[in-house]
Amino acid sequence: MTDLVLSESLAAARARLDAALDAAGRPADAARLLAVSKTKPAALIRQAWHEGQREFGENYVQEALDKQAELADLTAIVWHFIGPLQSNKTRDVAEHFSWVHSVDREKIARRLSDQRPEGLEPLDICLQVNISDEASKSGASLEELPALAEAVLSMPRLRLRGLMAIPAPAETPAEQRLPFARLRQALEALRERFPEAPLDTLSMGMSADLEAAVAEGATLVRLGTAIFGERHAR
């Protein structure tokens, strides 16, 4: 991908998000673009940064650490870990990321809190919900959410911000909206239960269903292919 193509695709992604927010009757700053850069080289992230993109999502810990080292000169860059997280990787994530979107059990959350360095801000957390009840996907069930949220809220080095989900593919926009609506309702229920918590984030929507997610209240949309092109197998 050339610099010009990336510039154009990033501009198109931003325009698409703006149009979706406008169509949903939401403010222009109600949702942010998270550029999913997994499997993409650091050079592309650097170019996107020069185009004004600041938030990037990575799925693989070692790959992300290598990129972070190469891009250490970039200021105000925000790294989000969005992939499945194993216990033996929590220390690296706790030390090198600002956000984690894929917390789905108390054990992982507690390790992240215990391993978050005191000199850093608390780690921003989204709880991953298996919103379509798929056996092949990670995530807490809706029934497990209140107890998991309460546990995370008690952890001093974490800051619970909201929920994340990756719904099963759907054919129509109306069908796409249904799981996103359930996730929004789950967040609203947590806000009522924990009114002092900073629950302001719905991480939902990707290249195929951005509009449906924004219509249901997404605040972070995760776009990879739409920005960086098709991914190559690792």
Side-chain angles (χ1 to χ4, degrees):
M1 174 176 277
T2 66
D3 290 355
L4 177 59
V5 171
L6 177 59
S7 177
E8 292 173 346
S9 63
L10 186 55
R14 289 169 173 159
R16 185 179 169 193
L17 176 57
D18 290 345
L21 286 165
D22 185 62
R26 299 177 62 198
D29 61 353
R32 311 194 308 279
L33 188 63
L34 178 59
V36 178
S37 45
K38 65 178 182 181
T39 78
K40 298 299 181 180
L44 281 182
I45 298 174
R46 184 177 295 277
Q47 176 59 24
W49 184 90
H50 281 295
E51 297 289 340
Q53 180 65 29
R54 292 293 181 267
E55 297 187 83
F56 296 90
E58 291 283 334
N59 287 57
Y60 309 112
V61 176
Q62 189 56 54
E63 176 190 323
L65 296 179
D66 292 343
K67 293 176 188 177
Q68 290 175 1
E70 187 172 341
L71 301 169
D73 58 305
L74 300 184
T75 58
I77 192 166
V78 181
W79 295 100
H80 297 242
F81 189 79
I82 61 176
L85 185 53
Q86 299 171 333
S87 295
N88 64 344
K89 299 292 186 181
T90 53
R91 183 174 298 278
D92 285 332
V93 171
E95 292 177 351
H96 295 281
F97 286 81
S98 296
W99 285 75
V100 180
H101 293 227
S102 48
V103 173
D104 61 357
R105 56 197 187 279
E106 183 177 345
K107 175 185 176 182
I108 293 295
R110 195 162 300 283
R111 288 178 66 88
L112 288 170
S113 182
D114 290 345
Q115 295 166 348
R116 181 69 168 175
E118 287 290 337
L120 298 179
E121 286 287 310
L123 188 60
D124 286 316
I125 296 293
C126 288
L127 302 179
Q128 182 172 355
V129 182
N130 190 347
I131 200 67
S132 300
D133 294 322
E134 295 176 273
S136 61
K137 283 186 181 168
S138 302
S141 68
L142 289 173
E143 292 73 24
E144 293 168 332
L145 266 187
L148 180 56
E150 186 170 21
V152 171
L153 285 168
S154 73
M155 298 178 191
R157 304 300 300 149
L158 304 184
R159 183 164 47 212
L160 181 59
R161 297 293 296 273
L163 304 177
M164 183 273 265
I166 308 171
E171 294 297 322
T172 68
E175 291 171 333
Q176 288 177 340
R177 287 183 64 164
L178 291 175
F180 293 139
R182 289 198 297 272
L183 196 70
R184 172 178 49 77
Q185 291 158 5
L187 184 65
E188 291 168 355
L190 290 182
R191 285 175 177 154
E192 291 183 8
R193 187 165 182 151
F194 306 108
E196 301 304 314
L199 293 164
D200 58 5
T201 301
L202 279 172
S203 170
M204 61 188 196
M206 297 186 289
S207 296
D209 53 15
L210 177 152
E211 287 78 12
V214 169
E216 292 296 341
T219 63
L220 271 174
V221 293
R222 308 182 305 272
L223 295 191
T225 303
I227 295 172
F228 296 111
E230 293 295 331
R231 293 191 189 93
H232 302 296
R234 293 180 82 236

